[in-house]
Amino acid sequence: AQSVTQLGSHVSVSEGALVLLRCNYSSSVPPYLFWYVQYPNQGLQLLLKYTTGATLVKGINGFEAEFKKSETSFHLTKPSANRSDAAEYFCAVSEGTNFGNEKLTFGTGTRLTIIP
Amino acid sequence: DSGVTQTPKHLITATGQRVTLRCSPRSGDLSVYWYQQSLDQGLQFLIQYYNGEERAKGNILERFSAQQFPDLHSELNLSSLELGDSALYFCASSGGGTLHYGYTFGSGTRLTVV
């Protein structure tokens, strides 16, 4: 069964500093991996995804993530934090590449706080 | 606007009651997923429908049921409500057959059971 572990339920960084949110996954098949962001009182918005191909993927708002199979990791980074990045971030994995069955399993989330 | 529409946005109801949450997927998407988000359980997958058929079931209680209609909109029915059912309920949709583009989430229905 697939699972996701997000290390650190709360992360605080200074404005302009590097953002690093950690995600490790478990999957019995080559995974599809996703990062979603949730702003207060809103739904989840897709930041970026890895399905196949290049292991370094770029997403919206300057975020990127690298799929490392040997480490079963998919950490999210951004070189310079903005105040607008304050939100909750969710890592998710899917093994369900069978047609019509694409369940996503989410991590418990990391709340990112930006220190002015 | 993500293209996935959920109604109502907020719902307050009493214990023991029954409610129906509605979701209209993004145009062209055949798969609909329901998730429950609570502080103690996080995001929990409830159920998936694909083109009107149930495809996958997660941690959905027997008091809960769902269906997807021919026009592809979906409804989640919650009955005999308990205080612990208070949560955000999200609907998401995808094209079906591939997660290449990920899910698109609606803005959710916040259910409060009093």
Side-chain angles (χ1 to χ4, degrees):
Chain A
Q2 62 212 49
S3 66
V4 174
T5 301
Q6 290 185 240
L7 297 175
S9 57
H10 292 85
V11 171
S12 296
V13 302
S14 298
E15 194 173 359
L18 170 72
V19 176
L20 170 61
L21 304 183
R22 299 177 187 273
C23 171
N24 288 89
Y25 70 90
S26 171
S27 175
S28 59
V29 300
Y32 284 9
L33 295 159
F34 304 82
W35 276 98
Y36 281 85
V37 60
Q38 184 179 27
Y39 298 101
N41 300 315
Q42 293 188 27
L44 282 77
Q45 180 183 5
L46 180 65
L47 267 181
L48 50 79
K49 58 178 171 62
Y50 169 79
T51 53
T52 58
T55 57
L56 180 63
V57 293
K58 295 185 184 300
I60 62 172
N61 302 337
F63 284 93
E64 62 182 37
E66 187 171 11
F67 169 58
K68 292 187 177 180
K69 184 179 178 181
S70 61
E71 299 177 9
T72 61
S73 69
F74 191 57
H75 301 331
L76 181 71
T77 61
K78 182 175 180 178
S80 178
N82 293 327
R83 293 187 188 186
S84 60
D85 295 327
E88 185 126 23
Y89 292 79
F90 293 91
C91 182
V93 63
S94 174
E95 292 182 351
T97 56
N98 294 327
F99 186 77
N101 179 5
E102 309 93 16
K103 170 189 164 186
L104 274 182
T105 298
F106 286 86
T108 52
T110 297
R111 184 169 299 277
L112 177 65
T113 300
I114 308 299
I115 304 167
Chain B
D1 182 7
S2 67
V4 178
T5 303
Q6 287 189 250
T7 57
K9 291 192 184 304
H10 301 276
L11 199 49
I12 301 175
T13 189
T15 55
Q17 295 299 303
R18 172 189 170 93
V19 298
T20 297
L21 313 183
R22 181 187 169 101
C23 169
S24 293
R26 197 178 54 168
S27 177
D29 284 353
L30 300 178
S31 280
V32 170
Y33 311 79
W34 287 97
Y35 280 80
Q36 179 193 59
Q37 185 179 35
S38 60
L39 284 176
D40 55 343
Q41 296 287 329
L43 269 162
Q44 295 289 315
F45 170 70
L46 296 178
I47 198 164
Q48 177 201 359
Y49 279 84
Y50 174 76
N51 202 20
E53 293 186 5
E54 181 183 306
R55 278 288 177 166
K57 205 173 231 186
N59 301 321
I60 187 166
L61 300 173
E62 286 191 9
R63 301 183 284 110
F64 296 0
S65 64
Q67 55 183 326
Q68 186 179 29
F69 295 87
D71 67 353
L72 301 178
H73 91 272
S74 178
E75 293 181 356
L76 178 67
N77 300 296
L78 316 176
S79 62
S80 303
L81 285 167
E82 302 174 359
L83 295 177
D85 297 327
S86 296
L88 260 174
Y89 291 85
F90 285 108
C91 167
S93 71
S94 73
T98 176
L99 264 181
H100 190 76
Y101 300 103
Y103 286 177
T104 301
F105 278 85
S107 56
T109 294
R110 183 174 294 279
L111 174 66
T112 303
V113 183
V114 297

